[in-house]
Amino acid sequence: MKEEKARASARVDGRGPGDGRAFIGMPAFPEAAAEAVGNDTLRANLRHATRTIRDKRAVAVAELDDWAELREAGKQIKDRTLHRLDHYLVQLEESVTAAGGTVHWAADAAEANRIVADLVKATGESEVVKVKSMATQEIGLNEALEAEGITAYETDLAELIVQLGEDRPSHILVPAIHRNRGEIRDIFRSEMGKWGRPAPEGLGDSPAELAEAARLHLREKFLRAKVGISGANFMVAETGTLVVVESEGNGRMCLTLPETLISVVGIEKVVPTWRDLEVFLQTLPRSSTAERMNPYTSMWTGTSDDDGPSDFHLVLLDNGRTDVLADEVGRQTLRCIRCSACLNVCPVYERAGGHAYGSVYPGPIGAVLTPQLRGTTSEIDASLPYASTLCGACYDVCPVAIDIPEVLVHLREKVADRGGRGHRLEKAAVKAAGWVLDRPGVLAAGERVAARTRGLHPGRLPGASGWTDSRDLPRMPAEPFRDWWRKNRS
Ligand code: SF4
């Protein structure tokens, strides 16, 4: 019900589902998660899907004797690149320009959306096809284009399900992971005809039938589109090459058939050389889809007279990333290659689902990335660093060794530091306790006073009733341990 309200208010605000901004106004994580946990179908869908991917990933990773070395290499390449990000971005710009592309710099979502909308309008087109892209979801590109009279068609199967169902993505890799086959069949039957070619008569819910329906629906869009929009998994600075890693072939269609290609990519996606890329092309498929080698890896460098788009634009997106880079603990978040392995092992994600995180980045990575990109001023963003048990499973599987629990604790400290009276009292109490514990004589005197007045101690602590209402305060002993020891053991 609350989800419906959030969706409705997003529409009233002129923001549609699937828009990164559509999550704004959602309740804080504990409230949203509590509602999701009560949804048996959602939990069953998530449990089945995450456990299946998790087990397959473990097998795929165990096949490699040098997995630990690859993981360490990935971490070091990312850290080295982030350390000199300005240098590699300028090198990338020079390479892309030399290869016939045009580079645009976007400081925030509004600027990126403006650039893309202007580029599409300059072509005279009112439709674009899209490759699945987290960056364009983050900035709410589809809705920004819609406001300009441009329709964006998602072509990834899961993104198509989300778009047709007027839903929001709930997983980085499998955005419709919260849907089962029956639900998808119903969405296709009722919605496909409103967007183009309708679902075939008598559509069933077998994977083959659903995939065929999507294929037929999308094909006419691929063949008609003059403008394609993508993100990129990697950008190679030394040659200006962009790389998209996907499993369905829809990306290959969007990247090669249209005359104009616009790629919106976060600045942290740059890698210096092809040797560096080699590491990630081994770790990403095994971590995300448990494949030894990715099915469709598309790479392009500028434009070519004979093949592919004749006009290529790269929009380099900051949108808070340089602020993340400035944070010594938080900057490791920018190593993320969006494999989603951390989501699939997270006990909190498995139960709460992706929508509860109030962002296009759900799960453990979302709990650390979103509050850094958006700040912690809203209730939902301030609650995200607490959306974890700190069990560390996310760190164990991360192919670039992001210590997510460390960043979570760091962000909790930041949120708490901005806290209200309760937090100030807690800090004062800890400071006073430190002073007493530093002085054994004062501590001993305090213990004796506490023991003699134990009959007067309250059962509840004022200001901490949230804690003491559901827990018994331990009863103070009649004499301090140090006095007992002196009498009985000295
Ligand atoms: S944080 Fe690590 S495990 Fe999670 S999506 Fe990013 S790279 Fe993958």
Side-chain angles (χ1 to χ4, degrees), residues 4 9 162 323 475:
E4 277 306 315
S9 75
V162 168
D323 292 337
R475 203 163 151 65

Side-chain angles (χ1 to χ4, degrees), residues 123-139:
T123 66
E125 294 296 316
S126 59
E127 288 183 351
V128 300
V129 284
K130 278 186 72 202
V131 190
K132 179 178 177 308
S133 146
M134 299 304 297
T136 60
Q137 286 179 19
E138 176 190 318
I139 62 176

Side-chain angles (χ1 to χ4, degrees), residues 96-418:
V96 171
T97 308
T102 307
V103 176
H104 309 259
W105 298 81
D108 55 25
E111 189 174 5
N113 287 334
R114 179 79 265 145
I115 291 168
V116 178
D118 287 347
L119 288 170
V120 177
K121 282 200 269 186
T123 66
E125 294 296 316
S126 59
E127 288 183 351
V128 300
V129 284
K130 278 186 72 202
V131 190
K132 179 178 177 308
S133 146
M134 299 304 297
T136 60
Q137 286 179 19
E138 176 190 318
I139 62 176
L141 179 64
N142 287 12
E143 288 66 29
L145 291 179
E146 192 182 336
E148 302 279 350
I150 299 161
T151 307
Y153 295 113
E154 295 289 349
T155 63
D156 171 86
L157 177 54
E159 288 293 351
L160 175 69
I161 295 163
V162 168
Q163 186 172 48
L164 292 177
E166 294 202 0
D167 203 348
R168 282 164 294 158
S170 66
H171 191 278
I172 290 177
L173 189 73
V174 199
I177 197 169
H178 54 289
R179 298 285 195 190
N180 60 33
R181 286 191 275 148
E183 291 175 301
I184 295 167
R185 176 205 55 210
D186 294 344
I187 290 170
F188 279 9
R189 279 183 183 170
S190 65
E191 303 301 322
M192 267 186 172
K194 299 176 191 168
W195 289 75
R197 181 177 175 136
E201 274 298 307
L203 176 68
D205 67 358
S206 71
E209 283 177 281
L210 295 173
E212 181 62 8
R215 192 176 291 124
L216 293 170
H217 178 80
L218 291 171
R219 184 137 312 226
E220 61 175 27
K221 296 187 172 20
F222 289 134
L223 296 176
R224 197 172 63 215
K226 296 279 187 285
V227 182
I229 293 180
S230 81
N233 295 89
F234 306 99
M235 305 181 285
V236 184
E238 66 177 348
T239 54
T241 304
L242 271 71
V243 184
V244 162
V245 175
E246 44 107 13
S247 308
E248 298 171 14
N250 66 300
R252 180 70 56 82
M253 303 281 260
C254 291
L255 297 167
T256 52
L257 290 178
E259 292 163 8
T260 298
L261 175 61
I262 304 165
S263 301
V264 183
V265 190
I267 53 176
E268 81 282 19
K269 294 294 176 70
V270 66
V271 293
T273 67
W274 283 79
R275 285 297 298 271
D276 298 322
L277 178 67
E278 174 198 327
V279 171
F280 301 110
L281 291 185
Q282 293 178 75
T283 53
L284 178 55
R286 285 180 195 260
S287 298
S288 57
T289 49
E291 284 160 311
R292 293 173 180 149
M293 188 178 166
N294 193 64
Y296 291 90
T297 303
S298 301
M299 302 175 180
W300 69 100
T301 308
T303 57
S304 155
D305 290 339
D306 311 321
D307 196 12
S310 53
D311 198 12
F312 168 57
H313 296 267
L314 169 60
V315 182
L316 289 171
L317 177 71
D318 184 329
N319 206 31
R321 285 159 174 78
T322 45
D323 292 337
V324 182
L325 190 60
D327 185 317
E328 280 183 24
V329 178
R331 70 172 60 130
Q332 59 185 305
T333 314
L334 296 178
R335 286 185 212 141
C336 178
I337 55 172
R338 311 279 190 265
C339 70
S340 76
C342 57
L343 279 68
N344 301 329
V345 295
C346 177
V348 176
Y349 176 86
E350 184 184 322
R351 286 155 183 84
H355 291 159
Y357 292 80
S359 152
V360 295
Y361 300 111
I365 182 59
V368 290
L369 183 59
T370 307
Q372 293 189 82
L373 290 180
R374 296 200 306 213
T376 51
T377 49
S378 75
E379 205 188 348
I380 175 79
D381 294 335
S383 70
L384 287 176
Y386 298 89
S388 168
T389 62
L390 302 181
C391 72
C394 47
Y395 171 62
D396 291 344
V397 296
C398 179
V400 283
I402 299 172
D403 193 341
I404 292 178
E406 182 189 27
V407 184
L408 285 166
V409 171
H410 172 65
L411 293 173
R412 286 179 188 187
E413 197 181 342
K414 284 188 167 190
V415 172
D417 273 345
R418 296 208 340 258

